[in-house]
Amino acid sequence: MTFTHEQVQFRDTARRFAREKVAPLYQQREKDGRVDRGLVRDMGALGLIAPELPEALGGLGLASVISGLVAEEIGYADINVAYVQILASLNGAIIARHADPALAAMWVERIVSGDAIVAIGLTEPRGGSDAANLALSARRDGTDYILKGEKSSISMADQADAIVLFARTGEAAEGARGVSAFLVPMDMPGVSTLRFNDLGSKAIGRSSVFFDDVRIPAANRLAAEGAGFVQVMQGFDFSRALIGLQCLGAAQASLDESWAYVQQREAFGAPLAANQGVTFPLAEGEGLVEATRRLCYHTLALRDAGAQHTAEAAMCKWLGPKTAVDVIHQCLLTHGHYGWSTDLPHQQRLRDVMGLEIGDGTAQIMKLIVARERLKAAR
Ligand SMILES: Cc1cc2nc3c(=O)[nH]c(=O)nc-3n(C[C@H](O)[C@H](O)[C@H](O)COP(=O)(O)OP(=O)(O)OC[C@H]3O[C@@H](n4cnc5c(N)ncnc54)[C@H](O)[C@@H]3O)c2cc1C
């Protein structure tokens, strides 16, 4: 994969910041259970949050390939901090494209500067795969809507300033066409959260979010009523390629640490690296990471060219986390008993990347999307 001079420069800025400021506190953030907002603002000041968003709204108007490079570099240092980039690019694009201009101007500027984090609220207790079959209701009342119901499994909900929320404005029988999207500040009266006790990504945290007769102005609706699914959901093609790179960054970090370790550690009177049984699994990991990385950048390049990339994005979201889980698992084993210790980061990376085998849609749902797109093309 070759990148332009501008892209390499941007990647180098992200890499320097990630390795100096983000990586050292990766394991500490798990204990803190949050991402430090000062760090988020520092990333914003460097243009490392959603640089693809329009300049007119405070972004840099850069190619989405650059956002991929940033997601990979921050993911290398701390996969959890990179959630900030993923949420900003996903929600920033939704707000920029579908919000009332005054609302968009206010929130996009705050997102890219690192002043605001916006969560995405789709999943409900009843289930996430059949996402359009949601029940949280938005009932029109004059110039407002009244929100009632529960979202479940929402990343960063208890750290976020607002949520892009999918709610039912039509009848259940209308399916996806009865769903609308809203931008809801998290400090509105009637909004509350309850955090889950998770296996990984504790710095991010997932929560249930309760909407207890929350009154929200109709001006906070994104796109037309009933267009929540049909139009707004298209943003997921972008975030899926970024998630792939976020996970691959974490896998590359474990690989790099493993190459160094196998040259230092000795067994049977020689460095571990003298054994092909040790180096071949790492070489395989390099190959799998590189192949999947290329798929992700290819998908982002398709997006930048305005070409269809729904199937490719679903492949990234399936293969990125899966490859990262397999590779980090191998790296943990390569470190022998040290790998099993919580002193080293591999066990945390493994727990953290595994969450993204589920979050934003499982492997099965991604394969459903690939099959649907290919069947459509073959008609
Ligand atoms: C780390 C993490 C972060 C998340 N962050 C967010 C967030 O910020 N916002 C948000 O809205 N949600 C979020 N989620 C929720 C996530 O999107 C859902 O968990 C996911 O879509 C799956 O939904 P479910 O858990 O209800 O599983 P279900 O839909 O109940 O599915 C259970 C299992 O059945 C399989 N399955 C279901 N239907 C089919 C089918 N038709 N064919 C084959 N297999 C099928 C699934 O693949 C899965 O393995 C997050 C989840 C995790 C783990």
Side-chain angles (χ1 to χ4, degrees):
M1 188 84 202
T2 51
F3 298 106
T4 64
H5 180 63
E6 182 194 37
Q7 290 166 349
V8 169
Q9 274 190 322
F10 217 89
R11 184 198 60 199
D12 290 348
T13 302
R15 180 171 294 177
R16 215 172 309 116
F17 180 85
R19 307 223 176 157
E20 285 171 14
K21 307 282 186 209
V22 181
L25 293 180
Y26 172 51
Q27 292 184 270
Q28 181 58 43
R29 279 183 206 102
E30 165 154 87
K31 297 192 184 86
D32 296 345
R34 56 191 281 276
V35 176
D36 172 43
R37 292 301 279 263
L39 182 79
V40 178
R41 286 196 191 90
D42 289 346
M43 293 195 294
L46 284 171
L48 298 180
I49 302 178
E52 77 286 350
L53 286 172
E55 284 179 274
L57 294 173
L60 297 175
L62 296 175
S64 40
V65 164
I66 290 191
S67 308
L69 290 166
V70 175
E72 187 181 354
E73 291 300 333
I74 303 292
Y76 184 104
D78 183 335
I79 183 171
N80 296 319
V81 173
Y83 270 75
V84 171
Q85 273 78 18
I86 309 299
L87 285 172
S89 285
L90 172 62
N91 290 317
I94 290 174
I95 296 166
R97 195 166 305 152
H98 300 294
D100 169 84
L103 194 69
M106 181 170 80
W107 280 96
V108 173
E109 198 278 332
R110 291 186 65 201
I111 290 171
V112 295
S113 65
D115 263 348
I117 291 174
V118 179
I120 183 97
L122 188 58
T123 305
E124 297 191 355
R126 171 210 47 79
S129 299
D130 184 10
N133 186 17
L134 55 82
L136 189 145
S137 69
R139 179 174 54 80
R140 187 81 192 223
D141 185 32
T143 56
D144 298 333
Y145 285 90
I146 311 287
L147 306 171
K148 193 167 187 57
E150 178 184 345
K151 290 291 171 186
S152 186
S153 186
I154 308 304
S155 296
M156 293 196 101
D158 60 4
Q159 301 180 61
D161 302 280
I163 185 167
V164 167
L165 182 75
F166 291 85
R168 184 155 295 286
T169 40
E171 298 302 316
E174 288 178 79
R177 301 211 168 264
V179 173
S180 304
F182 298 86
L183 180 61
V184 184
M186 290 296 284
D187 59 1
M188 295 295 282
V191 179
S192 60
T193 62
L194 186 64
R195 193 183 262 227
F196 298 172
N197 188 12
D198 277 345
L199 182 63
S201 284
K202 293 172 192 278
I204 293 306
R206 288 180 313 137
S207 304
S208 281
V209 188
F210 304 95
F211 296 84
D212 192 5
D213 289 329
V214 176
R215 183 173 284 275
I216 183 90
N220 282 45
R221 197 187 61 228
L222 304 168
E225 194 171 284
F229 242 77
V230 191
Q231 289 178 20
V232 178
M233 282 287 281
Q234 285 169 4
F236 283 81
D237 285 350
F238 182 27
S239 57
R240 285 179 178 149
L242 296 180
I243 289 172
L245 289 164
Q246 171 192 20
C247 294
L248 294 172
Q252 189 66 58
S254 276
L255 278 170
D256 289 353
E257 288 158 16
S258 299
W259 287 119
Y261 183 73
V262 298
Q263 293 180 77
Q264 291 153 12
R265 178 90 171 162
E266 294 199 351
F268 302 97
L272 291 175
N275 302 291
Q276 290 178 342
V278 170
T279 55
F280 278 16
L282 299 182
E284 285 164 19
E286 291 283 348
L288 292 167
V289 166
E290 183 62 15
T292 314
R293 177 188 286 130
R294 281 166 185 256
L295 172 67
C296 294
Y297 285 115
H298 168 65
T299 304
L300 292 174
L302 287 175
R303 180 180 196 264
D304 286 332
Q308 220 0 283
H309 55 285
T310 298
E312 289 77 6
M315 293 176 203
C316 298
K317 174 58 196 50
W318 158 44
L319 285 170
K322 183 196 171 355
T323 302
V325 164
D326 293 348
V327 166
I328 295 169
H329 180 208
Q330 179 57 53
C331 291
L332 186 153
L333 299 179
T334 299
H335 280 76
H337 78 91
Y338 290 116
W340 187 239
S341 159
T342 55
D343 291 346
L344 292 190
H346 309 288
Q347 47 75 32
Q348 187 187 331
R349 283 200 197 108
L350 186 57
R351 290 184 282 108
D352 291 348
V353 292
M354 203 187 289
L356 285 169
E357 288 196 290
I358 305 168
D360 197 87
T362 62
Q364 287 93 335
I365 298 309
M366 294 306 121
K367 290 176 200 174
L368 281 179
I369 294 169
V370 174
R372 187 190 64 205
E373 292 296 307
R374 290 297 185 254
L375 287 167
K376 214 181 348 174
R379 254 181 229 147

